[in-house]
Amino acid sequence: ILAVSSISCIRSKILSHFDMIMIFLSLSRFFLQAWMMLDLFLSLFCKTYYYEENFLVTSRTVFVFLNYSSLWFSAWLSVFYCTKVANFTQSLFFWLKQRISSLMPWMLITSTLFSLATSLPFSWDVYNVYNNFTSPVNTTNSSEMRVTMKASLFSFVLLCNTGTALPLTVFIVSSILLIRSLWIHTRQMQNNASGFRDPSLEAHIRAIKSLFSFLILYVTNFISVFLILYNIFPPLSLGEAICTAVIPACPAGHSMILIWSNPKFRKVPARILQHANCHIR
């Protein structure tokens, strides 16, 4: 996705808003996957270095920033599709449809800065305070310690909910609006169909399936990140292992669906497979 979008911008000498979103999205996911692979490698082979407090705090902060950024860029992609494809008569939607092109660069930059702002506190003692608050305390002054921790605990909960819930809400609202618009248009096309195979109708149905897949993957990723950040499962448990596997799998699945559903991206892997088959023969 990154290669095709970058080449398209170089050839046209114009950075389209779709390519802009795809470049931001693919970069965030590339670095997210690379960081998670590095984190896994260090946890398996460099345990002494990995479990140092400074590295754990840095690892958590970078992961949160990249994950929040990826969530936001996915949400803006859904908003972009919605404004370009859906047809609604509401004044707010019409206003957004007219100005989405000029707003998109600022939306991407603002969401990046917002992700950074909500992830930086994870490099402080907020996450450690949360762990201490949720773990049993056996000291005599445990009640006093817990009272002093409540302010930081509230900050942690607020950061987690703000960083994940806002892009989730934007994504769900825009996806539902787009699915509804496509579904209405598809029903109208089916009623007016003359019995022949309509490529436009099939394209709309394929788009609806893709959007449902995006929605399922996005919500699944959100739930997994939520469970990991809140330490719902004990360390090294099956639940934690499943969430750790789902978090990188969902962005990868979303990227594969983007490639499959877009002819611009689908040509490259098809060309690679064609060249591979020629060399094998």
Side-chain angles (χ1 to χ4, degrees):
I1 292 174
L2 178 62
V4 172
S5 300
S6 301
I7 292 172
S8 176
C9 294
I10 293 172
R11 287 178 177 175
S12 62
K13 297 181 180 179
I14 297 174
L15 183 60
S16 67
H17 296 96
F18 176 76
D19 288 332
M20 188 186 302
I21 299 173
M22 300 312 298
I23 289 173
F24 272 76
L25 179 61
S26 56
L27 278 174
S28 66
R29 286 185 171 168
F30 176 82
F31 286 117
L32 176 63
Q33 299 282 19
W35 185 260
M36 295 184 71
M37 288 177 65
L38 175 63
D39 185 81
L40 178 62
F41 176 83
L42 292 175
S43 67
L44 292 176
F45 301 105
C46 305
K47 294 184 179 181
T48 304
Y49 175 76
Y50 178 80
Y51 286 103
E52 289 184 3
E53 184 177 354
N54 291 335
F55 179 81
L56 286 174
V57 170
T58 303
S59 175
R60 177 73 60 166
T61 306
V62 174
F63 165 75
V64 170
F65 167 69
L66 293 173
N67 190 75
Y68 284 0
S69 300
S70 178
L71 293 176
W72 271 113
F73 299 150
S74 300
W76 294 139
L77 178 63
S78 180
V79 171
F80 182 81
Y81 278 145
C82 184
T83 55
K84 293 298 181 182
V85 177
N87 290 313
F88 295 104
T89 57
Q90 285 78 4
S91 57
L92 179 61
F93 182 83
F94 188 72
W95 177 87
L96 184 61
K97 192 180 185 73
Q98 287 185 318
R99 291 168 175 79
I100 187 66
S101 297
S102 59
L103 290 174
M104 186 53 66
W106 296 107
M107 292 160 68
L108 293 171
I109 294 172
T110 303
S111 59
T112 303
L113 295 176
F114 183 81
S115 300
L116 181 63
T118 51
S119 61
L120 277 179
F122 281 84
S123 63
W124 305 333
D125 292 332
V126 175
Y127 188 73
N128 292 331
V129 168
Y130 171 74
N131 285 334
N132 292 333
F133 191 88
T134 54
S135 62
V137 180
N138 298 321
T139 57
T140 56
N141 59 345
S142 60
S143 59
E144 296 179 5
M145 291 177 61
R146 289 179 178 272
V147 169
T148 57
M149 290 178 184
K150 283 187 176 180
S152 295
L153 178 63
F154 176 78
S155 301
F156 174 82
V157 173
L158 182 63
L159 285 170
C160 290
N161 291 338
T162 304
T164 54
L166 281 180
L168 177 70
T169 303
V170 173
F171 184 89
I172 289 178
V173 171
S174 57
S175 297
I176 290 176
L177 289 175
L178 182 53
I179 290 172
R180 181 174 178 272
S181 178
L182 286 172
W183 179 254
I184 293 174
H185 190 56
T186 302
R187 293 293 297 272
Q188 293 174 350
M189 294 173 67
Q190 286 176 336
N191 294 332
N192 298 329
S194 57
F196 295 98
R197 191 173 180 178
D198 190 351
S200 180
L201 178 60
E202 291 183 357
H204 278 73
I205 294 175
R206 193 162 55 245
I208 293 174
K209 291 179 179 178
S210 298
L211 285 169
F212 268 119
S213 303
F214 292 162
L215 199 57
I216 292 172
L217 288 173
Y218 198 99
V219 173
T220 304
N221 184 65
F222 167 79
I223 294 174
S224 300
V225 172
F226 180 87
L227 295 176
I228 287 292
L229 289 180
Y230 277 88
N231 284 343
I232 301 298
F233 301 108
L236 303 178
S237 63
L238 178 61
E240 185 186 49
I242 292 174
C243 291
T244 305
V246 166
I247 290 173
C250 286
H254 186 255
S255 299
M256 294 300 296
I257 296 172
L258 281 174
I259 295 172
W260 169 78
S261 61
N262 192 312
K264 178 180 176 181
F265 299 133
R266 197 167 57 236
K267 290 178 182 178
V268 177
R271 203 175 302 157
I272 293 173
L273 289 175
Q274 185 178 2
H275 283 297
N277 290 331
C278 291
H279 285 295
I280 291 173
R281 292 175 185 175

